[in-house]
Every structure is written in structure tokens, then in C-alpha cells.
Amino acid sequence: MNSYSLFNIFTTKKVSKITSQDVKVISLIYDSYYLKKMTLQEFLIPQGYVKIKLKFTKTNHFEINASINGIKGKFILDTGASNSCIGFDSVETFNLKVEDSDVKAAGAGATDMLTKISKKNVVKIGKWEKDKVALILFNLTYVNTALINHNSNPVDGIIGADILKKGNAIIDYQKKQLYLKL
């Protein structure tokens, strides 16, 4: 189908010559027609995104596999957490260099929690990798206790909005997939 016949299908305008404005309209109609038939994956992968599988837990959270400084772990994906976090008990596991912090953490059910910070970490999720990532450390016991009480497995930490923003994240809730831009 050539541009002229496509234009005639989508408009009642009678023309003998197609203008540059008409070409823009045809292009938009053509693009929207074909984009409707594309899956999110078919659209995002050519845009430089990578797909990461998510696991939906019994607590209605998404769990994600990631590595911190080359060490694999399990994390909750939490769009409501402003920062990505690791528990104090995982400092040695993930080879974290820890500094004191004046910041107090707050989350569902807890406030004014003492924190520390670890800067310059390498975070890898699927094929997506970012270096110089700061991670907040705090007592993750209350999170893991709640998970265990709901028959879910404990986690090593939380992947928060800071990392999701760095990766221009897109979440496909229906297919349980996270897309991050390389």
C-alpha cells in the first residue's frame, strides 16, 4: 500500500497533491496503526531496553534477582522506596564499604531507623549494570520478619526508585517483567 492510498483510507479529504503536512499525518496514522499491534517487549527492546523477569510473591510484591558488587541476591522491587537498601547483616556478603549517615529511614510500620550508606557500588540486574551506586543500609529484620510471617522468603534488600529512575524503568505488571534501558 503506497502513502497516497493509505492517506485516502484514513481521510475524506480529496486531494490531487499530497503536502508535507499530509505526509506527517500519514506517518502518524501509519505508526499508531502498527504500534497497536506491537507488544511492549517488541517496542522496548529495539529502543535499547533489556527485559528482566519478576517473581510475584505471596505478599503482593515483585521479587527480583540482582547482584551487588558481583554477589547475587534476592530483592524486593519497591517503586515507593526512594532509595535502594541493604540490610546491616549483608555488609560483608556484598563487600560494602560503609560510612555513617545522619539520614533516618522510614517505611511501612517503622520510622526514625538508623542508617548507614555505602557508595560506589556496582549494581547489576539482568544485563543492565550501573556503577557508583549509593545504597542505604538499615535494619532489614522487620521487613524479613513480615515476609516470613506471610510464608514468603526473606530478601537481601530493596531495589528502589533511585535505581529504577537510573534505568528509565518500565514495569509490565501483567507479564511480570521489568525493562531497564542500557
Side-chain angles (χ1 to χ4, degrees):
M1 177 180 298
N2 64 38
S3 296
Y4 183 72
S5 60
L6 183 64
F7 181 77
N8 283 334
I9 289 170
F10 291 104
T11 184
T12 58
K13 183 179 179 181
K14 299 291 182 192
V15 293
S16 58
K17 187 174 181 182
I18 296 176
T19 67
S20 63
Q21 184 62 32
D22 294 331
V23 171
K24 289 177 186 174
V25 170
I26 292 168
S27 179
L28 286 172
I29 292 168
Y30 180 85
D31 289 349
S32 66
Y33 175 76
Y34 281 100
L35 286 176
K36 287 179 185 174
K37 292 187 174 196
M38 294 179 86
T39 65
L40 186 59
Q41 178 178 328
E42 289 169 337
F43 178 73
L44 291 175
I45 298 299
Q47 305 297 323
Y49 280 83
V50 293
K51 177 179 72 171
I52 298 107
K53 183 179 176 181
L54 299 171
K55 177 186 172 190
F56 196 67
T57 68
K58 295 174 186 175
T59 59
N60 291 327
H61 291 99
F62 278 127
E63 189 178 273
I64 188 168
N65 294 316
S67 66
I68 309 293
N69 301 324
I71 310 299
K72 294 179 183 178
K74 292 212 178 283
F75 299 83
I76 288 175
L77 183 69
D78 188 349
T79 61
S82 54
N83 296 95
S84 296
C85 308
I86 303 283
F88 284 134
D89 57 343
S90 296
V91 169
E92 290 180 14
T93 303
F94 292 108
N95 302 316
L96 304 175
K97 295 177 182 154
V98 180
E99 301 173 19
D100 288 331
S101 172
D102 293 330
V103 175
K104 301 282 186 190
T111 58
D112 291 330
M113 295 182 289
L114 296 175
T115 66
K116 293 191 181 270
I117 190 166
S118 176
K119 300 177 182 174
K120 298 182 181 177
N121 297 288
V122 177
V123 175
K124 185 173 184 187
I125 303 171
K127 294 178 183 174
W128 182 87
E129 186 173 311
K130 195 74 168 172
D131 60 357
K132 299 179 184 173
V133 176
L135 298 168
I136 302 298
L137 287 92
F138 75 103
N139 186 349
L140 203 60
T141 304
Y142 84 95
V143 172
N144 280 325
T145 299
L147 290 171
I148 292 166
N149 288 340
H150 288 90
N151 298 316
S152 289
N153 295 321
V155 294
D156 298 301
I158 297 167
I159 300 295
D162 57 338
I163 288 177
L164 297 175
K165 185 176 177 182
K166 287 176 191 202
N168 294 315
I170 296 172
I171 301 171
D172 184 337
Y173 285 90
Q174 296 301 317
K175 294 193 177 171
K176 301 176 187 98
Q177 296 169 339
L178 169 69
Y179 293 91
L180 296 172
K181 188 164 176 91
L182 292 174

